[in-house]
Amino acid sequence: MTFFKLKRLAAFALVATLAGGAMAGSALAQDASNTTASNTTATNTTAAAPAAAAAPAAAPAAAAPAATPAPKIDTGDTAWMLTSSVLVLMMTIPGLALFYAGMVRKKNILATLAQSFGATALITVLWMVIGYSIAFTDGGKNNAYIGGVKYLLLGPMGLNSTSALAATIPESVYMFFQMTFAIITPALIAGALADRMKFTAFLAFMGSWLILVYCPIAHWVWGGGWLGTMGALDYAGGTVVHLNAGTAGLVAALMLGKRKGLGTENMAPHNLAYSVIGASLLWVGWFGFNAGSAVTSNVNAGMAAAATQIATAAATLAWMTAEWVVSKKPSVLGMVSGAVAGLVAITPASGFVNPMGALIIGLAAGVVCYISAVHVKRMFGYDDALDAWGVHGVGGALGALLTGVFASKLINPGSAPKGGLLEGNAHQMLLQVYDVGATFLYCGIVTFIILTVIKFTIGLRVSEEVEVEGLDINLHGEVVQA
């Protein structure tokens, strides 16, 4: 795709985004009361008492019931959220780092590991400086679209501070938990650009993308912004994390172009054992991702954990079976890719669906992501090296849409009303379409702009000589000996 075609695509997408925003704005007032706004508040069943519980206006003042006491920091919730935060951090290092490193060629293993490790360090600092503030604090009159800057350098965060989004744990723990989400999301993009991006360009892209793409979209859905207020459901990051990262990966792959030798040289994974270990760490860590998004140690966390396990196993079997039928052999790479696809797809739904819904979402994800990552990629010829779009983009969108189908008020009071399509809600499905469309369009446009600026300043891609010899020795001065 040429630069000028991409410009025309960006212009068209911008117009579509503005039109979608206008439609969403008209629906905002009608939908705000239907669902909760975030992966934290949607799961908290200890919300403030409804207005109907207040004393009647005619009752004597002395007879009015005592006000509901503000929630206090709970040690059990705090312990669970500290554990969840560490589990999610483990998903990036070492989980994602090993998963991706095992799938590249030997000459690029260290460069791939460095991307995950470098992203973790850079995003941690940026999240502390400004990211948390613009994603999860009140933006005043602009709160529908972006948070404020009051928490610059986390200045107001004291030892006993709490957030309205997580009232029973210290705000420092909530900030740390959300930091680990912010770390893994840009790091996922590296799967699409493996083997050919400059490390300087990668770091510049990671930092810019976090501030300009991830933080606004996280605020839209979880921080009190327009998508969450409208009623879009995303329990733990189907659109905020996975569709977001997958879309950026697709744009990056198109702008970088194909790896040299693709289709003519052997690009088989160097060490699938690394990938299996990495995928296993992702599977285990994902319980912090999904069950942790309850932001409390309660029944919601338990159901989210069960849904996560069921969907992941189902997707593994579905991908394996599809590959077995088509290619006559069930590959190990296919099995671990299926597991990741299931983890991705159940993420937005995990706190809203029952076990049967989780099973169906997992089965669908295994088949759909297999077709996308293997056959659709081959059909269109783009080089999404490690299937960031094929698994995370497609799986995240699929999971977000199916959340609207299977969300049940019996599982989470903040989800769709009981009744309708499979206990779902046709209106909720429409809201999920808005969520998917807005994330895809905004992320695609802004990612293209960021990469274009980098391309014409420091450059995106390594030279042909560096790519042929390997990124490890040329970018980091080291090689894997074994």
Side-chain angles (χ1 to χ4, degrees):
M1 182 178 292
T2 66
F3 173 72
F4 297 102
K5 288 181 179 179
L6 282 169
K7 284 179 65 180
R8 289 198 295 271
L9 176 61
F12 172 77
L14 181 58
V15 172
T17 303
L18 294 173
M23 290 189 293
S26 66
L28 190 62
Q30 301 174 28
D31 302 330
S33 62
N34 291 341
T35 53
T36 46
S38 76
N39 68 329
T40 57
T41 57
T43 61
N44 193 342
T45 57
T46 61
T68 302
K72 296 180 180 179
I73 291 177
D74 182 89
T75 55
D77 290 349
T78 301
W80 168 236
M81 293 310 299
L82 284 168
T83 302
S84 294
S85 301
V86 173
L87 285 170
V88 180
L89 180 61
M90 184 185 74
M91 290 169 62
T92 305
I93 49 171
L96 184 70
L98 286 170
F99 182 64
Y100 279 168
M103 289 191 281
V104 298
R105 290 166 290 177
K106 182 179 178 181
K107 61 185 180 181
N108 297 324
I109 287 179
L110 293 178
T112 303
L113 292 170
Q115 288 177 339
S116 290
F117 210 87
T120 299
L122 175 65
I123 293 163
T124 295
V125 173
L126 289 176
W127 190 252
M128 175 264 177
V129 173
I130 188 63
Y132 175 74
S133 187
I134 61 176
F136 288 100
T137 69
D138 190 341
K141 64 181 181 179
N142 297 315
N143 193 57
Y145 306 104
I146 196 69
V149 294
K150 177 182 178 182
Y151 268 67
L152 185 70
L153 294 170
L154 301 181
M157 186 180 294
L159 184 64
N160 297 306
S161 298
T162 59
S163 167
L165 299 173
T168 63
I169 64 174
E171 189 170 18
S172 58
V173 177
Y174 182 65
M175 182 279 299
F176 176 38
F177 179 65
Q178 292 296 349
M179 176 190 286
T180 60
F181 277 63
I183 288 169
I184 195 169
T185 305
L188 290 170
I189 304 170
L193 46 83
D195 294 351
R196 59 203 192 276
M197 192 174 197
K198 292 180 177 180
F199 193 57
T200 51
F202 175 81
L203 292 177
F205 177 54
M206 290 289 101
S208 302
W209 193 88
L210 174 79
I211 301 301
L212 298 176
V213 180
Y214 178 81
C215 288
I217 292 179
H219 184 79
W220 293 357
V221 178
W222 295 334
W226 69 278
L227 280 173
T229 304
M230 183 175 64
L233 298 177
D234 188 352
Y235 194 78
T239 52
V240 177
V241 175
H242 298 291
L243 175 61
N244 208 5
T247 300
L250 178 62
V251 174
L254 292 172
M255 292 189 68
L256 281 166
K258 298 179 182 180
R259 288 167 290 176
K260 182 175 176 55
L262 182 68
T264 59
E265 297 179 10
N266 180 15
M267 294 192 177
H270 170 67
N271 193 330
L272 278 179
Y274 288 170
S275 296
V276 173
I277 295 170
S280 302
L281 290 168
L282 285 169
W283 190 333
V284 173
W286 223 284
F287 294 104
F289 206 73
N290 288 356
S293 289
V295 201
T296 183
S297 181
N298 67 359
V299 294
N300 297 90
M303 185 60 76
T308 299
Q309 180 69 13
I310 292 166
T312 307
T316 301
L317 296 174
W319 186 307
M320 180 185 75
T321 301
E323 187 178 44
W324 209 335
V325 170
V326 175
S327 302
K328 311 306 179 187
K329 291 182 180 180
S331 70
V332 173
L333 179 58
M335 292 172 67
V336 297
S337 298
V340 174
L343 290 164
V344 168
I346 197 59
T347 291
S350 55
F352 300 121
V353 302
N354 61 26
M356 181 60 72
L359 178 68
I360 296 172
I361 289 172
L363 292 172
V367 174
V368 171
C369 291
Y370 165 71
I371 294 171
S372 172
V374 177
H375 300 288
V376 173
K377 181 172 72 172
R378 185 180 301 153
M379 181 187 308
F380 286 96
Y382 56 87
D383 189 11
D384 176 13
L386 308 181
D387 298 315
W389 167 251
V391 173
H392 295 277
V394 173
L398 177 67
L401 295 174
L402 291 180
T403 299
V405 177
F406 295 105
S408 170
K409 198 173 183 68
L410 297 176
I411 299 299
N412 192 309
S415 62
K418 181 181 177 182
L421 181 60
L422 296 177
E423 293 189 342
N425 183 322
H427 179 62
Q428 185 64 51
M429 293 172 66
L430 181 61
L431 296 179
Q432 297 306 106
V433 171
Y434 289 159
D435 187 21
V436 169
T439 300
F440 179 78
L441 288 172
Y442 179 81
C443 176
I445 293 167
V446 181
T447 298
F448 170 73
I449 293 170
I450 294 169
L451 289 172
T452 299
V453 172
I454 295 173
K455 179 178 181 179
F456 290 105
T457 51
I458 62 176
L460 287 174
R461 187 164 177 163
V462 299
S463 68
E464 183 175 317
E465 292 77 13
V466 168
E467 189 173 347
V468 170
E469 188 176 7
L471 273 60
D472 289 0
I473 187 63
N474 284 284
L475 299 186
H476 302 287
E478 301 162 304
V479 294
V480 174
Q481 298 294 337

